[in-house]
Amino acid sequence: MTKPIRTRLEILGKKLGMTQYFNQEGDAIPVTVLELAENIVTEIKTPVKHGYAAVQIGANIKKDKHLNKPKLGNLKKKNLPNFGFLKEYRVQPAELESYKIGEPVDSSKILNPNDLVDVSGISIGKGFQGMVKLYNKRRGPKSHGSKSYRQPGSIGAHTFPGRVLPGKKMPSRMGNENVTVRNLKVIEFDKSKKLLLVRGAVPGVEGTLLTIRPAIKKWNP
Amino acid sequence: MNPKITELISKNIKKELHNIHVGDTVKVTVRIKEGTKERSQNYEGTIIKIKGGGLNKTFTVRRVFQGVGVERVFFLHSPKIEKVEVLRSGKSRRAKLYYLRERAGKATKLKENLFASQAASLPKEVIPEEGKLVEVTP
């Protein structure tokens, strides 16, 4: 028995920054402003030809010299702009007919006010961090002769197993990894300016490329 | 801030800014919702702090009610605020009047800024358009 494929519409956008917004009741709510990318369909993968149904979309238009020859040739052949970023998402085979190469994805399906979305992106890099910041470990005492202020503590037993177990949490680089924030409420969507306002914070610095999807809890009611 | 955000929030920023200063005694008319009904409520006191900029600008109004100091923070650009009426302009040499918290009674009264209160009643300055003659009244 095959598992049903998870199909979720995906659109790409850019984080512009945070501000606040006064709703109809007059309450100030914190919002993040996202600018939607071009989201033009660059390729359609069919079960007959590729073995699965998927749609590839592009964002982040670049100059000719900033793309390598294979990518450039692929896009030029289809008469598409120079997308620096391509992303693919699975769809149901029956839905494929509604997509056409060179046309933007219909984002109005998920971006209505009060809809919930999941937003993924690369988080801000925090550098090499210790156990306290990275894994919320507790620090040692600051006084009474203690010197283990922010030490990692014991990392395992002695003779048995005589080694550090794989996967042991240690101080390491923090951030700069893919993070998803779930169930952000859409506050407003300006279709002409392609500006999307969601309640709350999203990962990454301003200018980060983000993936916006319908909230997973809503996906399969 | 990104210019696109500045443009986006510019529609929420009130064009006619309330001309308020630290030290002013003001009457703030706030809209409050009770169930489905909406009504206005006045709140009177001294401005002890103006903070932030742009859409995030707030001001704090302090009053002593039944012997208890009350401070309310308002968003200047909030649609909840109907109007801010300056009852009296106080003279202040500080940007933040936190010292009023330690004072009671008459000591909390600020000297009146006569210049500011007079200036408000003066007719507005006329900026003549280029190439036009303006009648000047002595």
Side-chain angles (χ1 to χ4, degrees), chain B residues 3 6 36 44 60 74 82 105 124 128:
Chain B
T6 321
T36 52
E44 213 176 295
T60 306
F74 298 100
E82 260 173 24
K124 273 181 189 166

Side-chain angles (χ1 to χ4, degrees), chain A residues 147-168:
Chain A
K147 285 176 183 173
S148 71
Y149 307 125
R150 295 172 75 92
Q151 295 292 319
S154 168
I155 56 166
H158 187 209
T159 319
F160 182 78
R163 62 194 166 92
V164 176
L165 295 172
K168 176 84 200 112

Side-chain angles (χ1 to χ4, degrees), chain A residues 31-49:
Chain A
V31 292
T32 309
V33 185
L34 312 176
E35 189 185 32
L36 295 194
E38 296 78 17
N39 292 315
I40 286 170
V41 178
T42 52
E43 202 177 343
I44 294 166
K45 304 215 164 169
T46 54
V48 180
K49 200 175 172 190

Side-chain angles (χ1 to χ4, degrees), chain A residues 92-132:
Chain A
Q92 296 293 348
E95 289 174 38
L96 280 175
E97 286 168 15
S98 59
Y99 295 97
K100 212 174 158 191
I101 289 176
E103 280 184 8
V105 174
D106 184 17
S107 51
S108 59
K109 273 181 210 162
I110 60 164
L111 301 180
N112 297 314
N114 293 332
D115 280 358
L116 296 177
V117 290
D118 293 346
V119 179
S120 316
I122 305 283
S123 65
I124 295 174
K126 273 108 185 158
F128 193 91
Q129 293 297 337
M131 298 297 278
V132 176

Side-chain angles (χ1 to χ4, degrees), chain B residues 3-113:
Chain B
K4 280 172 186 164
I5 300 180
T6 321
E7 197 196 323
L8 185 82
I9 62 174
S10 64
K11 65 179 177 196
N12 280 322
I13 284 184
K14 286 180 185 170
K15 296 271 155 43
E16 286 173 41
L17 275 179
H18 312 290
N19 193 19
I20 51 170
H21 302 279
V22 168
D24 289 357
T25 306
V26 289
K27 190 159 90 178
V28 188
T29 313
V30 196
R31 265 191 313 201
I32 52 167
K33 221 174 185 183
E34 283 175 342
T36 52
K37 270 189 195 169
E38 220 179 45
R39 66 182 183 87
S40 297
Q41 192 187 49
N42 287 337
Y43 180 81
E44 213 176 295
T46 316
I47 297 179
I48 62 159
K49 165 159 69 166
I50 297 176
K51 187 187 154 205
L55 200 60
N56 193 24
K57 201 168 190 175
T58 63
F59 63 100
T60 306
V61 182
R62 179 183 166 85
R63 71 175 294 196
V64 178
F65 182 70
Q66 292 179 347
V68 184
V70 180
E71 280 175 21
R72 266 181 89 172
V73 185
F74 298 100
F75 279 110
L76 191 65
H77 297 285
S78 167
K80 273 184 180 176
I81 292 177
E82 260 173 24
K83 64 174 179 186
V84 182
E85 200 183 326
V86 180
L87 304 175
R88 192 171 165 274
S89 304
K91 201 173 177 180
S92 115
R93 299 179 74 153
R94 310 257 173 287
K96 310 275 192 280
L97 306 181
Y98 297 142
Y99 69 89
L100 291 181
R101 289 171 179 167
E102 282 132 40
R103 297 196 181 181
K106 212 178 167 186
T108 58
K109 211 172 172 190
L110 295 164
K111 255 189 190 170
E112 189 157 5
N113 189 349

Side-chain angles (χ1 to χ4, degrees), chain B residues 19 86 89 114-124:
Chain B
N19 193 19
V86 180
S89 304
L114 287 168
F115 179 75
S117 41
Q118 274 171 6
S121 61
L122 282 173
K124 273 181 189 166

Side-chain angles (χ1 to χ4, degrees), chain A residues 139-150:
Chain A
R139 57 150 176 78
K142 279 182 172 175
S143 59
H144 299 294
S146 159
K147 285 176 183 173
S148 71
Y149 307 125
R150 295 172 75 92

